[in-house]
Amino acid sequence: MRNRHSGLGMIAGAILACASVVPAAADTLEDLGFTNGLVLQGSRSTQEVYFPMPANPVRPELRVDVNPSPLLDQLSSIQVLANDFPVASIPLRDGPGTHNIPIPPALARYDYLRIRFAADQALQREVLCFDNDTPAVWSHILPATRLTVDADGEEGVGVVWRRLTGTVPIALPSNPSMQDVEAALGLAVSLISRGAKPVMVGPGDASARIVIGRGSAPLSVEAMPDGNARLRVADTAAARALTEAAGAMRVIPAVAGVGAPTSLAATSDRVTFADLGVGLSEVQIFSEGTFEVEIPFNNLPPGRRPTAIRLFGRGPVMPPNNAMSVTMRVGQRVVWSETYRELVMMNGVLIPLPEEFIQHRMSIRLRFARIGFRPACDSSFLFAMSPSSEVILGDGYPRPTDFNGFYVSSDRPALVRVDVPAHEAVASIPAMATILSRAGARAHAIEVSAGARLDRPFLLLSRTAPSELNARALLRPDLGRVVLQDERNGARAEISPAAGLSVVQVAEAGGIPGLWFSPGSERSLTTPAVLSTGNVAVLDGSRIPASFDTRRQQVSVEEARMIETRGALSFLSQWRTELFIAGWVLLTVLVLLAVLRMRRKKG
């Protein structure tokens, strides 16, 4: 074990040691994954992002494109802070515009530059008791907002890795191993988590920005003909070192709950919000307010599921003739409500959680509404949720009924079992990485193997359903034609071995949840899709997959299994239970007939 850690340390050191002279690229909010920019909603709203920096930054400059609400008053502004140091205040009275802000070089000498936008905006400031907490108070930081920075001197592996944004082509050897697939999958998960789009290209493709395979060093930078640079990553150990060394926090709204190792014991019967790392903040309430809590399921102790929540929180003393109604919702369902007439205080309120909460990984939303409130001069107040609030746990993994409910635990590496040849799995890497990223997998903790025991939540890549899966609950497009029809929205999909479509299904193996990914043609995998609702998804390469919930009555399923096209062994394997029962019945009938015949002869 010591030698392994020493090797990883040497590789991580190579990230800083390896160098190549390449020009630095500018990053926009869109490059970082904020395709719609940032919205500052409310009088004191803040947003922050992390821009990757070159090793020796020169003349960094931030260009901010802003579009404010036309109803804001003359004093409204946005303060811009670089690593918590104010560098500019943007007045909003002139309407939409572009603002160039030089960044002091001393603030930019880090792997990432944290830019925070803090709004001070209102509709009216001098009108007594005017309510500025309205939807009309907003500003939009456009996705074209850009950080431009040059580099002086040489840049190493880590800098080139951090600058990979947008579409990132990845190439593997012509005969890859499972370790090559594992390395590429880990890098793809890391790229997706920061808003980039990994795509697979063939060996020797000149457009590849990452090449998997051994070169002169475990990690190295290679110059490209177009003046850019690409990375060569030797193996899984090098890929893990790269993702761990460059693991600075990024704020990407599309990512759901990135996992972190937990020290909680599997026998824990309760965990606090502080243990789970649930970020809590105060909510300001004027006439009403909302407090949303997301439980990071992948940080729960292994083999445990949430069954209830115990809340601790405190607000103000309500004025005479006032009351506060507090309602907790899971999705659209109200699961608890209480009215406070004096002190607004939750002192260990125990609320059972419905089954759909853990099946769909829903968020918890607390809504505060003041009763008897009159807006004329009543001030707002704060409610704070305590980090000592608890999640009560029960035994067993939650069984997901749709894709939202699937997550991987952080106590062990995410398990990806590949039951196809390694070279046939290459095209599926971006799609699998998209699923794993949404499920909370850590880029440096992914295990890819063939024939591994399914002993934890898993992603299985296989064209046929292995014996471990509960096959009776699955559709079998590998055995023939399957037609899915959803009467609600008219969606229809016809799947067969010849159609070349990829199919993902919610599955189960011995009580452990997982996803069965049956890959089709490379064309069906060109655009990885984000899976959410439904338990069956059909991918044909378009941006939006066809998702179906086969548990609903409105979804019809027609299966026509083509037994004659398969061999005798496959036929016997598929129908062995039925054939055994039929044979036993036939044998019993023959024995009875023989007994009756003998009795007749004796008679």
Side-chain angles (χ1 to χ4, degrees):
M1 182 64 72
R2 172 181 292 181
N3 292 336
R4 179 181 180 276
H5 285 296
S6 175
L8 287 176
M10 293 174 63
I11 296 173
I15 294 176
L16 301 177
C18 296
S20 177
V21 181
V22 291
D27 282 315
T28 65
L29 291 182
E30 186 172 14
D31 292 335
L32 297 179
F34 299 93
T35 55
N36 297 317
L38 303 172
V39 175
L40 301 171
Q41 182 75 59
S43 58
R44 297 288 180 179
S45 177
T46 62
Q47 294 274 16
E48 62 181 27
V49 293
Y50 288 75
F51 286 98
M53 299 297 292
N56 302 291
V58 178
R59 296 177 297 276
E61 184 178 78
L62 181 67
R63 191 193 75 186
V64 181
D65 293 340
V66 61
N67 178 30
S69 168
L71 301 180
L72 298 180
D73 68 4
Q74 295 294 304
L75 297 178
S76 295
S77 65
I78 296 176
Q79 187 181 40
V80 182
L81 301 96
N83 291 334
D84 293 326
F85 186 86
V87 293
S89 289
I90 300 175
L92 301 179
R93 57 179 174 268
D94 298 329
T98 299
H99 305 267
N100 295 314
I101 304 170
I103 304 296
L107 301 177
R109 299 190 180 279
Y110 302 93
D111 288 348
Y112 288 88
L113 177 66
R114 182 163 69 102
I115 296 294
R116 181 155 55 96
F117 301 98
D120 178 10
Q121 48 195 6
L123 304 182
Q124 297 282 348
R125 297 175 192 265
E126 299 178 356
V127 178
L128 184 64
C129 306
F130 188 84
D131 181 10
N132 280 299
D133 188 16
T134 72
V137 178
W138 58 266
S139 295
H140 183 199
I141 308 294
L142 302 181
T145 294
R146 176 187 301 272
L147 178 70
T148 303
V149 56
D150 296 327
D152 182 17
E154 298 179 338
E155 296 184 347
V157 170
V159 175
V160 177
W161 164 249
R162 291 193 301 273
R163 288 203 342 259
L164 292 177
T165 59
T167 300
V168 181
I170 303 175
L172 273 73
S174 56
N175 293 310
S177 65
M178 285 296 176
Q179 287 70 33
D180 294 329
V181 173
E182 184 175 274
L185 189 57
L187 295 175
V189 168
S190 183
L191 290 169
I192 289 172
S193 70
R194 69 192 204 197
K197 178 185 177 183
V199 296
M200 308 309 297
V201 295
D205 193 309
S207 67
R209 301 298 301 276
I210 298 177
V211 178
I212 306 295
R214 186 161 294 280
S216 58
L219 283 168
S220 60
V221 176
E222 299 177 349
M224 300 176 67
D226 59 1
N228 287 316
R230 68 182 181 187
L231 288 176
R232 181 171 290 276
V233 183
D235 49 26
T236 301
R240 287 177 177 172
L242 185 61
T243 55
E244 284 184 297
M249 182 177 64
R250 303 291 296 270
V251 182
I252 304 296
V255 177
V258 176
T262 177
S263 60
L264 300 173
T267 56
S268 301
D269 60 355
R270 65 190 65 197
V271 291
T272 67
F273 283 9
D275 291 332
L276 295 174
V278 175
L280 297 175
S281 60
E282 298 174 328
V283 57
Q284 189 166 11
I285 303 169
F286 194 62
S287 59
E288 60 181 40
T290 302
F291 193 94
E292 191 162 348
V293 177
E294 291 196 21
I295 303 298
F297 279 64
N298 50 318
N299 283 0
L300 294 174
R304 307 285 281 168
R305 70 178 189 275
T307 59
I309 190 169
R310 192 186 303 275
L311 299 179
F312 295 88
R314 184 183 178 90
V317 176
M318 299 303 298
N321 302 320
N322 267 230
M324 177 65 67
S325 173
V326 185
T327 304
M328 190 174 107
R329 289 178 177 266
V330 171
Q332 299 301 318
R333 178 176 171 183
V334 176
V335 297
W336 172 80
S337 183
E338 184 66 60
T339 299
Y340 298 88
R341 301 195 176 276
E342 295 182 353
L343 177 64
V344 181
M345 183 174 181
M346 298 179 186
N347 191 17
V349 177
L350 182 63
I351 307 170
L353 294 172
E355 191 68 21
E356 59 262 32
F357 168 74
I358 59 175
Q359 289 176 340
H360 307 293
R361 278 204 298 167
M362 292 180 172
S363 60
I364 296 170
R365 181 174 296 129
L366 284 171
R367 182 177 179 272
F368 301 81
R370 293 177 69 169
I371 301 172
F373 166 75
R374 290 180 290 181
C377 300
D378 271 352
S379 60
S380 63
F381 65 86
L382 295 176
F383 178 87
M385 186 70 70
S386 171
S388 62
S389 297
E390 298 173 334
V391 177
I392 310 302
L393 303 175
D395 291 326
Y397 288 103
R399 295 187 178 182
T401 56
D402 62 12
F403 296 111
N404 266 331
F406 174 70
Y407 69 94
V408 296
S409 301
S410 64
D411 63 306
R412 295 173 63 185
L415 176 60
V416 179
R417 183 169 126 181
V418 177
D419 286 356
V420 299
H423 69 275
E424 295 182 13
V426 171
S428 305
I429 288 175
M432 290 193 295
T434 302
I435 293 172
L436 290 172
S437 178
R438 183 173 178 83
R442 293 170 287 134
H444 54 274
I446 296 174
E447 175 188 335
V448 177
S449 62
R453 189 166 65 92
L454 303 178
D455 58 354
R456 57 192 183 274
F458 60 88
L459 175 60
L460 171 66
L461 185 71
S462 173
R463 288 193 168 84
T464 60
S467 58
E468 299 98 314
L469 294 186
N470 181 8
R472 293 186 181 277
L474 297 173
L475 302 181
R476 297 300 302 274
D478 55 313
L479 299 181
R481 186 173 67 98
V482 178
V483 178
L484 293 165
Q485 180 81 37
D486 193 334
E487 298 175 0
R488 298 171 302 167
N489 53 24
R492 186 179 186 276
E494 184 173 332
I495 317 162
S496 66
L501 301 177
S502 295
V503 183
V504 187
Q505 300 185 59
V506 175
E508 182 182 317
I512 297 176
L515 298 181
W516 174 31
F517 190 155
S518 178
S521 65
E522 291 190 13
R523 181 179 178 276
S524 69
L525 299 166
T526 53
T527 304
V530 175
L531 306 179
S532 54
T533 58
N535 61 347
V536 178
V538 181
L539 284 64
D540 61 359
S542 62
R543 181 170 296 273
I544 301 177
S547 296
F548 300 88
D549 188 344
T550 58
R551 301 162 303 162
R552 293 183 177 271
Q553 293 183 350
Q554 298 91 337
V555 177
S556 61
V557 180
E558 176 188 338
E559 290 190 86
R561 297 188 175 182
M562 298 180 289
I563 300 173
E564 65 276 10
T565 64
R566 302 178 63 85
L569 291 178
S570 297
F571 173 78
L572 292 174
S573 175
Q574 173 64 27
W575 297 96
R576 59 184 180 273
T577 302
E578 290 81 356
L579 290 173
F580 176 79
I581 295 174
W584 180 260
V585 171
L586 180 60
L587 179 61
T588 303
V589 171
L590 291 175
V591 170
L592 290 175
L593 289 174
V595 171
L596 290 174
R597 193 175 214 182
M598 292 175 62
R599 288 183 176 178
R600 286 176 182 173
K601 286 182 178 181
K602 290 180 179 180

